[in-house]
Amino acid sequence: MSPQPSPAPAPPAVPTATYRLQLQPGFPFAAAERAVPYLASLGVSHLHLSPVLEAAPGSAHGYDVTGHARVREELGGEEGLRSLSRAAREHGMGIVVDIVPNHMGVPAPERLNEALWEVLREGRASPYARWFDIDWDAGDGRVLLPVLGGRLGDELGALSVKGGVLTYHDHRFPLREGTEHLPLPELLDAQHYRLAWWRLARTELNYRRFFTVSDLIGVRVEDPEVFAATHACVLRLVREGLVQGLRIDHPDGLADPGAYLLRLGGETGGAWTVVEKILGPDERLPVSWPVAGTTGYDALHRIDGLFVDPAGLEELNAVYRDFTGAGADLGGAWEPTVRRAAREVVSHDLAAEVERLTRTAAAVCGSAPGLALRDHAPWALRTAIEEVLVRVPVYRPYVTAGGPVGAEDRAMLEEAAEGARAAFAVPEEAASVDVVRDLALGQLGDGEAQRDFCARFAQVSAALRAKSEEDTAFYRYAPLLSAAEVGGDPGRPQVSPEEFHAYCARLQRDWPATGTVLSTHDTKRSADVRAALAVLSECPGRWAELLGRVTEETLRTSGVEAPDRHVAWVAWQTAYGMGFPYQERLVPALLKAVREAGLRTTWTEQDAAYEEAVERFAVAGPSGPPLYAVAEFARGLAEPVRANVLGAALLHLTMPGVPDLYMGTERVYAALVDPDNRRLPEFPPFRPGAPESADAEEEAAAGLPAALSEEKLRLTEAALRLRREHPEWFGAAASYEPLRAAGPAAGHCVAYARSGSVVAVATRLSLRLAEAGGWRETVLELPPGRWRELLGGREAEGGVRTAELLAERPVALLVRS
């Protein structure tokens, strides 16, 4: 009788590493299941799945949830998820699922969202009305639906009643009982909703949305019944053991993130949970949140920053300003640019949200005891709200009306209010700023209006920060595109080794199980694209020379000029960073960039002639004959790019925290902003000995060594398997010890030990290193003992010359023999 194979060990409660799979109808649970053996061989402990609940048909991301009661049928339903979970367990892996508590999709047809359908049919009397964050009073008891292509009068011909529902193209709306036989104009006025021109969303919308996306409606998970209904399926999957961990999408959109996370942690029994919290440069995650940490954008910023040369960046900034001629507040300088963007967003894109805050503040003033807050004019309250909001330096405060206020939140809002007073010519009118400050701090009581203002102010603050920085200023201020990344600080992207070590030590002490990332479904450029772009901070003069050459060549060969110098700069940097700028991928990314920047065209006010000029330039220039000059330039930087790619990967995989790999990033992965970074994956995505593949062509075009994908894969496998086989070296009880080299090139070496058992060594600013004569006599003192380098087999002990340790590759991963 043959022996039975031993069962795979259960996945650890805390992942050693996760692997993000972006599920969609073209890549359902069954496709993920086929990839399980390969992903297990990499060394990850958990699959990290994008949202798995019902979503809008065809959704490529799943964040437009339409139903919380069941697993998405387009992905294979609950049976498909159960099969994937079984396959993962057979290979010793668990599953982490992304959940979306903040909002639901407003689909077409609307009936796909049953809860919303009932609200539209029955109005505020519906038992589902409590689900959604709707300001019924602002709409005279009706919810605005900005879905019409033109004004209502112009669209009447496209509206009709069929089968007891109101139809408009792909949309279907329920009818209020007893209204189905009314004439169309009367029927429209009799509903619990108001169909309107889509442009009215900016000023008239009366439901909370996700940022400025009107087809994502805010959900009130602060209501216990709503929490229970919207989380029942996911919590059941956790309790049954199908899901072992959770990623929480956009907690800053919630009325009270801390209270939500406390309840969630209690319901899951403390399952490993990370939150998509974007931290400012000096911001700290609230210690009261019962989570393992963030999804890791703070780590991304620190890793990327190591590979930015401060001196070269200053020169690159000067080249950028000279080439583009950008005004200080229109992309020429970071602080003025982000301030202007914030003012534009708060007064334009978020006008409806600010109007709601103004009405609420006025209501509080009108009902305050003793008439103490009367005579604050709405315009003064509105101005005060806008002026305080644009000065909030992080996503939001964490305050509840009538509750305690943390010292950091108090100081932040006091400082914002102090600056806001300057907007008032009459000092007495500036007193409205004090009202807004106290409401935002939750210090004017805990009545309904006060609670509403306190929560909504924080929610609007988060939306403002995201829209004005990540979705506007990041696209306007472009000297080094790799610096404009989620969680980053484009005004100061560089991070010194000392800052990096201090950050890692703090993670190990306070958040040892936090998530860390380099690429996600939301990054504007993948890690390897950013690694290539960072090299430009080491050679700004060479970049300036190339820019002049390709500008002249584009004009000479095609007679085409860029419609403006800003888009030319962005296009050429994107082409260089991307490696092989396929036209069908480059053009959409550029069009998205110029619309987000909003300097000449926007998503809602598109300038067709300008966008056509952008496309003509992209085809003639970065995707045309001058591409070969860019490829030649890239070949000259292949080794510094290799050092950055491998260095960033090694640090990510060995630093404190739980590394999350985005699909395909274990090898060279060049991707731009979504939807480019959500292309369908193929597993295994790397096949040694297949140079004829499109991926090899992409590497060759970028001037990267043909073997870099295999080299990165070997590094990734070695680090992940170490984490899986020796979790104690990297987990909560582990240690982090910086190692400092000595000698003329010591600043180019970033090294540390984990628990005295693993040493990671990476090269930073390798182009500058080579120009200065290499490592020379630089020595790295290893911890006591004999060490074996996993990638090359070399053994070392004591003081080792970095020139010898890093002779074959720019990184080293050593374990104690």
Side-chain angles (χ1 to χ4, degrees), residues 528 665-667 708-716:
D528 294 341
T665 57
E666 66 273 22
R667 55 181 297 283
L708 184 56
S709 270
E710 186 175 358
E711 196 173 17
K712 187 182 180 187
L713 178 64
R714 289 202 312 271
L715 169 63
T716 301

Side-chain angles (χ1 to χ4, degrees), residues 14 161 180 334 346 360 401 446 449 457 492 502 515 524 638 687 736:
V14 175
V161 176
E180 57 271 20
W334 171 245
V346 78
T360 307
D446 62 351
F457 180 91
R492 190 188 180 278
K524 291 174 169 50
R687 299 185 305 280
Y736 177 89

Side-chain angles (χ1 to χ4, degrees), residues 734-756:
S735 64
Y736 177 89
E737 305 94 23
L739 302 178
R740 292 178 172 84
H748 293 277
C749 179
V750 179
Y752 50 80
R754 303 303 315 275
S755 303

